[in-house]
Amino acid sequence: MSRQANRGTESKKMSSELFTLTYGALVTQLCKDYENDEDVNKQLDKMGYNIGVRLIEDFLARSNVGKCHDFRETADVIAKVAFKMYLGITPSITNWSPAGDEFSLILENNPLVDFVELPDNHSSLIYSNLLCGVLRGALEMVQMAVEAKFVQDTLKGDGVTEIRMRFIRRIEDNLPVGEE
Amino acid sequence: MVDAVLFELLHTEMVAELWAPDSDLDPGPGGQRTSLQVLEGVGFRVGQALGERLPREMLAFREELDVLKFLCKDLWGAVFQKQMDSLRTNHQGTYILQDSSFPLLVHVGSGLQYLEEAPKFLAFTCGLLRGTLSTLGIKSLVSASVAALPACKFQVVIERS
């Protein structure tokens, strides 16, 4: 399908509320379509991945960031540029592993979960799992294989929402890691 | 504030997912209708919720036409950062809303290319319109048609009791 080649640097913003409501309706529908939370989590991750591989093009076109030289730079760009640009929030970066290959993104507030409550029978649902897929897909397109997962979630009663990012390896050839 | 691109990509992915969810079966004609209904239903729920969050003063519409103008101006502005290009009515409960460059179709294609695919990219928005109207106390049927992408027409038929 064709894509508009040049968005220019203009950006259109919309209320988080509409996005939150749409995301919520989507998760609700997925919970109806799939029997268990694990399958919904997988679908959210896959959908996020598909969004991420396209989002990175938009990001690179509009953000003017250069190539990141290490994972620390990548973390900064993700938190301070990308999250700000797309979700209007700036997570903080903490808990670096000694080897510098893992860090946490702490989201004080997560627009996806405004007004959301998890019902009791969906305790295994990773509601915002789309975000993990987006991060994974976007970074894969810039030659980084990473793992992203939620380790804390305000929806589950934690004080903050924390996404743990782990660098797996550099993707040397131009073939993507591959999606089943 | 969320970037509009994120919404567009989410919508595209939603269409892909809800159109043919991970299954070995291709939706045949019966399945096709169901898939459109599912997308429309998701849009309906969002429209309802959006309608519930409107400030009370916005709900003091004097006439049906004011409600439709609100959809064309305020709802379209909030969702697509633009206004509907034209609104026509037969003054008997049927309204045609025209968008010459519907944002959710712009990235699908242009002209007659992918015309067959257009309905699935319109279902959510039809539901959104119907849902917002529903919260405003108006029962309706909303459909959309495309002659050439990315222009489209939404038809709103008010159900009179």
Side-chain angles (χ1 to χ4, degrees):
Chain A
M1 296 194 171
S2 74
R3 279 203 45 161
Q4 194 174 7
N6 183 20
R7 281 186 179 279
T9 49
E10 48 158 303
S11 69
K12 296 191 300 178
K13 301 291 180 204
M14 63 185 329
S15 83
S16 328
E17 199 167 68
L18 175 68
F19 187 80
T20 302
L21 289 171
T22 304
Y23 186 73
L26 169 66
V27 176
T28 305
Q29 186 60 45
L30 289 177
C31 288
K32 282 186 194 154
D33 290 344
Y34 293 94
E35 280 168 13
N36 62 62
D37 290 347
E38 266 316 305
D39 288 339
V40 177
N41 294 340
K42 280 199 202 119
Q43 281 311 110
L44 286 172
D45 180 74
K46 183 181 139 215
M47 291 175 74
Y49 176 88
N50 292 339
I51 290 174
V53 304
R54 289 187 214 116
L55 195 66
I56 188 75
E57 287 176 42
D58 182 81
F59 178 71
L60 292 173
R62 285 164 55 195
S63 67
N64 285 324
V65 297
K67 195 170 149 78
C68 291
H69 295 99
D70 58 31
F71 207 40
R72 278 182 188 267
E73 274 186 49
T74 306
D76 271 349
V77 170
I78 292 171
K80 295 173 188 160
V81 189
F83 264 89
K84 186 130 175 47
M85 188 186 285
Y86 292 110
L87 288 173
I89 58 171
T90 309
S92 45
I93 302 167
T94 65
N95 289 347
W96 277 101
S97 63
D101 62 345
E102 281 189 43
F103 67 91
S104 288
L105 287 164
I106 309 283
L107 283 66
E108 303 275 313
N109 73 306
N110 174 3
L112 271 70
V113 308
D114 287 340
F115 315 114
V116 172
E117 273 177 32
L118 276 188
D120 292 331
N121 59 332
H122 285 290
S123 51
S124 311
L125 183 66
I126 307 172
Y127 184 86
S128 306
N129 213 28
L130 192 97
L131 289 180
C132 294
V134 173
L135 288 163
R136 190 168 63 85
L139 288 171
E140 188 176 295
M141 292 299 108
V142 288
Q143 269 63 56
M144 274 182 266
V146 301
E147 182 194 54
K149 62 176 201 256
F150 280 90
V151 295
Q152 288 197 78
D153 195 343
T154 50
L155 273 188
K156 299 195 175 160
D158 297 317
V160 291
T161 297
E162 181 182 349
I163 300 176
R164 189 86 185 139
M165 300 283 302
R166 182 171 72 91
F167 179 81
I168 300 173
R169 64 184 172 86
R170 188 138 204 90
I171 303 169
E172 292 302 343
D173 48 46
N174 285 328
L175 299 173
V177 174
E179 187 68 15
E180 261 68 21
Chain B
M1 296 299 268
V2 165
D3 196 284
V5 164
L6 203 51
F7 178 77
E8 283 164 31
L9 288 174
L10 180 67
H11 177 265
T12 301
E13 206 44 44
M14 219 162 56
V15 169
E17 165 63 23
L18 298 179
W19 178 255
D22 269 358
S23 75
D24 300 318
L25 307 169
D26 232 343
Q32 196 177 78
R33 268 199 301 280
T34 312
S35 294
L36 284 177
Q37 277 166 14
V38 167
L39 283 165
E40 206 268 359
V42 174
F44 181 79
R45 275 195 292 285
V46 177
Q48 273 187 317
L50 215 53
E52 278 160 22
R53 282 164 171 72
L54 294 171
R56 293 293 118 188
E57 50 275 15
M58 278 205 186
L59 304 182
F61 293 113
R62 286 158 313 192
E63 289 177 15
E64 194 174 85
L65 184 58
D66 290 332
V67 178
L68 270 296
K69 285 183 186 167
F70 165 80
L71 293 181
C72 291
K73 195 159 162 283
D74 299 88
L75 181 70
W76 229 241
V79 183
F80 301 115
Q81 301 82 47
K82 63 180 290 209
Q83 294 188 19
M84 197 75 76
D85 289 303
S86 82
L87 170 66
R88 291 186 346 250
T89 178
N90 63 358
H91 297 287
Q92 280 166 17
T94 298
Y95 299 84
I96 306 285
L97 291 64
Q98 236 166 307
D99 191 328
S100 61
S101 181
F102 184 54
L104 298 178
L105 281 180
V106 166
H107 305 293
V108 173
S110 67
L112 304 177
Q113 194 188 28
Y114 299 117
L115 204 57
E116 266 178 37
E117 313 288 322
K120 39 178 152 156
F121 288 90
L122 298 166
F124 173 86
T125 307
C126 287
L128 188 74
L129 286 164
R130 190 169 68 88
T132 310
L133 282 166
S134 158
T135 313
L136 296 173
I138 297 174
K139 211 161 172 263
S140 65
L141 281 172
V142 183
S143 57
S145 63
V146 180
L149 280 75
C152 68
K153 287 185 194 166
F154 293 90
Q155 177 173 278
V156 178
V157 177
I158 311 293
E159 288 188 11
R160 307 258 197 242
S161 48

